Amino acid sequence: DQQVKQNSPSLSVQEGRISILNCDYTNSMFDYFLWYKKYPAEGPTFLISISSIKDKNEDGRFTVFLNKSAKHLSLHIVPSQPGDSAVYFCAALSGGSNYKLTFGKGTLLTVNP
Amino acid sequence: NAGVTQTPKFRVLKTGQSMTLLCAQDMNHEYMYWYRQDPGMGLRLIHYSVGEGTTAKGEVPDGYNVSRLKKQNFLLGLESAAPSQTSVYFCASSLSGPPVYNEQFFGPGTRLTVL
């Protein structure tokens, strides 16, 4: 039973355009969401997070939107750059078991020059 | 700061062999974690530790043991390796845990193959 779903295994965009990565979750107990970015042969690095009490969080070119009623979040990257090419993981935490990050399977983003 | 380091980077084992993966962090973090990542899968938590001398099971603990004798080190042991344990193993650490959410910092990973 996959509680965090990233239904698009890959996404390709042109440099300068917007990248939108999507994530759906099923567990209504999740109350904190994170995006991690991973380059090949490296560990994931934290990108941005959002608490369930918010519907938007922005950090430079990265914005995460949360729609609690739809159990959906998205990561927007504007403008996209070739260095953004990586695998992006959505992860979620619930108030009852905060030690455990539940990860999606990841989306490979390719930004073409 | 080196952050989170993992030793070794690569290892090939035969079925039944044992080994220990070492994770070290120099950020004085209380919490440490071991994950595994399999092809086409997200990261899954194996074991974690909320402080020196404490460990707890995660989502997929079977076949693994851990120890946290020193705050900066978290060891993952495979007593009798099986092909199903072929994976990439990531260690992570965070400053604290609930109710404050802190980001987890990840090491570069150890690629383990069990033949």
Side-chain angles (χ1 to χ4, degrees), chain A residues 31-32 34 36 38 41-46 87 89 93-95 98-106, chain B residues 31 33 35 37 40-45 48 50 59 90 97-99 101 103-109:
Chain A
D31 58 2
Y32 199 76
L34 306 92
Y36 279 82
K38 184 181 179 306
E42 294 184 11
T45 55
F46 171 74
V87 176
F89 290 100
L93 280 165
S94 65
N98 295 346
Y99 307 106
K100 180 177 172 295
L101 274 177
T102 301
F103 283 85
K105 293 184 178 183
Chain B
Y31 290 67
Y33 316 81
Y35 293 88
Q37 185 191 13
M41 301 284 287
L43 281 76
R44 293 181 293 169
L45 183 65
Y48 63 95
V50 303
E59 182 182 357
F90 291 101
Y101 295 112
E103 66 167 289
Q104 293 182 18
F105 293 82
F106 283 81

Side-chain angles (χ1 to χ4, degrees), chain B residues 13-61:
Chain B
L13 289 178
K14 294 182 179 179
T15 297
Q17 286 184 317
S18 63
M19 78 162 295
T20 300
L21 282 68
L22 172 63
C23 175
Q25 52 94 4
D26 62 0
M27 297 174 282
N28 202 33
H29 284 175
E30 288 292 335
Y31 290 67
M32 296 187 75
Y33 316 81
W34 276 107
Y35 293 88
R36 61 177 288 174
Q37 185 191 13
D38 300 300
M41 301 284 287
L43 281 76
R44 293 181 293 169
L45 183 65
I46 304 171
H47 286 280
Y48 63 95
S49 168
V50 303
E52 182 179 322
T54 71
T55 63
K57 294 180 180 180
E59 182 182 357
V60 287

